[in-house]
């Protein structure tokens, strides 16, 4: 695959993930405002989300969109700042793995209540 084809695919992946993130952020903020207005405590919120598959699926989609979006942007920024360093790809992969592992761990923790 040529570099131009790869760049085009990455561009599309970042734009599509940005659309998903936009929707996820809007829903997440609506949930936060609902919880704040209702005066819910952290314990009450966890009580509602624990075992709720819809919440887990929604937040895992959020994590996956971040997993795609952020590393592409970070790689582009690093490539512009340090064009000949070779840092962009490894740092982007490290960021991607951290987002995936930590984000999924958080989703599983909220879903299971920390009981794995």
């Amino acid at each position: 695959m040529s570099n131009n084809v790869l760049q085009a695919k990455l561009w599309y992946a970042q734009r599509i993930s940005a659309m998903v993130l936009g929707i996820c952020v809007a829903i997440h903020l609506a949930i936060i405002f609902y919880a704040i207005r209702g005066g819910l405590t952290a314990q009450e919120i966890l009580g509602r989300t624990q075992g709720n598959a819809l919440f887990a699926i929604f937040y895992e989609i959020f994590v996956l969109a971040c997993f795609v979006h952020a590393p592409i942007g970070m790689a582009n920024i690093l490539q512009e700042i340090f064009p000949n360093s070779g840092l962009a790809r490894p740092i982007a992969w490290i960021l991607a793995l951290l987002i995936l592992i930590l984000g999924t761990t958080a989703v599983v923790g909220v879903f299971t209540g920390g009981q794995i």
Side-chain angles (χ1 to χ4, degrees):
M1 178 176 359
S2 75
N3 190 40
N4 291 339
V5 172
L6 176 62
Q7 289 303 315
K9 287 182 179 186
L10 290 172
W11 187 88
Y12 279 112
Q14 191 173 40
R15 294 325 176 264
I16 291 167
S17 64
M19 290 181 228
V20 173
L21 281 171
I23 293 167
C24 287
V25 167
I27 293 169
H28 178 67
L29 289 174
I31 291 169
I32 289 171
F33 288 134
Y34 170 77
I36 290 171
R37 286 189 173 238
L40 297 175
T41 66
Q43 188 174 17
E44 290 169 328
I45 292 169
L46 287 175
R48 291 181 181 195
T49 58
Q50 188 174 350
N52 188 324
L54 288 178
F55 270 98
I57 291 167
F58 168 73
Y59 281 106
E60 190 60 27
I61 290 170
F62 204 153
V63 168
L64 292 173
C66 291
F67 167 75
V68 171
H69 187 82
I72 296 170
M74 179 61 71
N76 288 333
I77 291 167
L78 290 171
Q79 190 60 37
E80 286 180 19
I81 295 173
F82 308 108
N84 298 319
S85 69
L87 290 174
R89 186 170 282 170
I91 290 176
W93 274 108
I94 291 168
L95 176 61
L97 290 173
L98 283 172
I99 290 170
L100 184 62
I101 292 166
L102 297 175
T104 300
T105 301
V107 170
V108 169
V110 169
F111 180 73
T112 63
Q115 309 298 320
I116 297 178

